[in-house]
Amino acid sequence: MSRDEYQILPRMAETFEQEVAIRLMGDCGLRVQEVLDVKPEHISRMSDGEHFELEVVGGKDSTGEYDAGKQRETWLPRDIEATINRYVQETGIKSDELLVPRAKRTVQYWVENAGGAAVKETGDTDYRRISTHDLRRCRANHLLVEESVSPRIVMALGGWSTYDAVEPYLAAPTEENIISSMSRVGL
């Protein structure tokens, strides 16, 4: 899924809560289980005073099992922070309350439902097969391939501990990416 294709999904959400959940996966790279653990108190301003980070509580360990004690910080785009802030203000969620107090399957259904709405909107039947993991994959691929972010940074933000774990997200670069990269080095 390209970044442009992803951008349609949050707009297809039926509720503010659904949009927040989809954006946490597609714009922050959270796993569906990690989305279910996010609280407003996990959001903080970074040391530069302009950017935000999200403390991700829980995640997969090196064996692939979910570990509730695992913790990392990930990049929270400013527009997502603003969306979450509006959602918190409108719903009255307290700092220590969950943003998305739902079951994992419910969030998976929201993504599938948004995909169905995207099929109607665009006519692209590929949206019928969309999954929550596709959103995480899209984010990682966008950073690694399209934005040329260091794999080490993507690994830290996404909670991967080895290159082997992040390698599946390295899709082939686009022709535009190749031209841009090679032009920068003067070849």
Side-chain angles (χ1 to χ4, degrees), residues 39-45 52-55 76 81 84:
K39 299 175 182 178
E41 66 188 16
H42 295 148
I43 297 170
S44 60
R45 196 173 290 273
F52 295 90
E53 65 184 357
L54 174 65
E55 179 184 7
L76 182 66
E81 188 277 335
I84 291 171

Side-chain angles (χ1 to χ4, degrees), residues 1 3 19 36-37 63-64 72 93-94 96 113 116 136 139-140 148 151 155 165-166 171 182 184-185:
M1 170 185 336
R3 199 74 190 143
E19 178 186 351
L36 303 177
D37 294 331
T63 66
R72 73 175 189 279
I93 293 173
K94 293 180 178 65
D96 63 347
N113 195 37
R136 180 171 162 81
R139 177 66 176 161
S148 301
M155 288 168 60
V166 80
M182 296 310 290
R184 278 196 310 266
V185 297

Side-chain angles (χ1 to χ4, degrees), residues 1 9 19 24 33 54 57 69 74 84 101 122 127 129 133 162 172 176-178 180 186:
M1 170 185 336
L9 289 173
E19 178 186 351
L24 284 169
Q33 184 61 50
L54 174 65
V57 180
T74 195
I84 291 171
T122 67
Y127 283 109
R129 296 188 307 272
H133 188 72
T162 66
E176 180 180 298
N177 186 259
I178 291 168
S180 173

Side-chain angles (χ1 to χ4, degrees), residues 37 57-62 64-71:
D37 294 331
V57 180
K60 289 187 177 179
D61 63 17
S62 58
E65 295 297 316
Y66 186 76
D67 178 0
K70 192 170 179 179
Q71 184 270 339

